[in-house]
């Protein structure tokens, strides 16, 4: 087995069965993705639309592609027909565009609403008031081509584990709150939090989807 296969196999064994591992394949060549695919891994994450569409064209059609980066509204049309899950929906305007392109592609597109949980300005995301406003708006309730599958959040990039834990815990509480209320077009099955550096804390705080790249593929290629 190759290094990638070994890393991936070990990582999967360490995760709870209820957790989905999204292998972050951004900047990685098709050969690396195929190594993971050949041992039965199907969920891969990309952060650039151009790279995502190229790989989706060239690689097996049963791969589940996750758009994990910041998504511009004018790029949605390129991935609407095949994307498995859009992780970073950080505005109502973006959600409206996804719904519009979902209608054109004649499918319902699963999305995660990205919440701003980090104590830094560099991360995108909604705050709690914006989330509540979005979910209770009549316009959202009328959308037939998007489904909110859960929430996503990225913790502050810090060595302070307590802070990271606090941020993840806050998102988990919000996830439970929304899950226990009744909203149209909302399923709340996925809580996506945790990356290579902090996924263990995220799992302890209730994450059921992690996005891991360097721990599988090694450092990024630029």
């Amino acid at each position: 087995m190759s290094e990638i296969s070994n890393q991936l196999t070990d990582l999967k064994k360490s995760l709870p069965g209820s957790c989905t591992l999204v292998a972050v394949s951004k900047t990685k060549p098709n050969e690396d993705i195929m190594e993971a695919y050949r041992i039965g891994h199907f969920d891969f994450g990309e952060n650039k639309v151009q790279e995502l569409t190229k790989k989706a064209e060239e690689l097996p059609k049963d791969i589940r592609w996750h758009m994990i980066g910041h998504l511009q509204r004018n790029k949605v049309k390129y991935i609407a027909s095949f994307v498995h899950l859009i992780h970073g929906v950080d505005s109502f305007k973006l959600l409206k565009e996804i719904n519009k392109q979902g209608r054109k592609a004649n499918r319902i597109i699963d999305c995660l609403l990205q919440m701003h949980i980090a104590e830094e300005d560099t991360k995108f995301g909604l705050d709690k008031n914006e989330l509540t406003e979005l979910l209770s708006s009549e316009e959202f309730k009328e959308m037939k081509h998007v489904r909110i599958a859960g929430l996503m959040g990225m913790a502050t990039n810090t060595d302070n584990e307590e802070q990271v834990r606090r941020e993840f815990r806050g998102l988990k509480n919000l996830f439970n709150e929304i899950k226990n209320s009744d909203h149209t077009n909302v399923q709340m099955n996925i809580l996506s939090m945790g990356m290579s550096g902090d996924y263990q804390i995220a799992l302890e705080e209730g994450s059921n989807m992690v996005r891991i790249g360097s721990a599988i593929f090694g450092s990024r290629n630029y």
Side-chain angles (χ1 to χ4, degrees), residues 188-219:
M188 280 297 135
N189 294 325
I190 299 170
L191 180 56
S192 174
M193 53 188 197
M195 300 187 289
S196 288
D198 58 17
Y199 75 91
Q200 281 155 327
I201 300 173
L203 289 171
E204 288 165 14
E205 295 304 328
S207 172
N208 62 14
M209 180 176 279
V210 293
R211 306 176 304 280
I212 298 179
S214 53
I216 299 168
F217 297 108
S219 54

Side-chain angles (χ1 to χ4, degrees), residues 8-19:
L8 185 56
T9 303
D10 290 347
L11 190 54
K12 281 181 151 182
K13 280 179 188 167
S14 73
L15 295 175
S18 56
C19 181

Side-chain angles (χ1 to χ4, degrees), residues 1-2 4-5 8-9 12 30-42 44 59-60 62-63:
M1 279 172 83
S2 72
I4 289 171
S5 306
L8 185 56
T9 303
K12 281 181 151 182
N30 288 354
E31 302 82 71
D32 286 7
I33 296 170
M34 283 307 296
E35 281 189 39
Y37 176 83
R38 278 192 286 268
I39 62 161
H41 192 78
F42 297 95
F44 295 91
L59 290 165
D62 55 347
I63 284 177

Side-chain angles (χ1 to χ4, degrees), residues 117 165-175 205:
I117 61 170
R165 191 175 293 282
R166 186 171 66 246
E167 290 168 1
F168 284 151
R169 188 171 295 159
L171 186 57
K172 169 65 170 169
N173 290 340
L174 182 59
F175 175 82
E205 295 304 328

Side-chain angles (χ1 to χ4, degrees), residues 95-132:
L95 191 65
K96 284 199 278 189
E97 183 62 26
I98 295 168
N99 184 64
K100 175 182 160 186
Q101 297 302 334
R103 185 170 61 246
K104 286 183 181 177
N106 193 29
R107 65 186 291 246
I108 296 168
I109 300 174
D110 281 326
C111 302
L112 302 180
L113 295 176
Q114 180 172 355
M115 303 306 299
H116 188 285
I117 61 170
E119 293 176 22
E120 56 191 23
D121 296 330
T122 55
K123 303 280 195 295
F124 296 96
L126 304 161
D127 62 31
K128 189 179 177 180
N129 290 341
E130 290 170 323
L131 173 71
T132 307

Side-chain angles (χ1 to χ4, degrees), residues 135-136 141 177-186:
L135 294 179
S136 55
K141 289 172 189 171
E177 205 178 299
I178 303 295
K179 194 176 174 70
N180 294 329
S181 56
D182 189 30
H183 290 286
T184 311
N185 297 349
V186 178

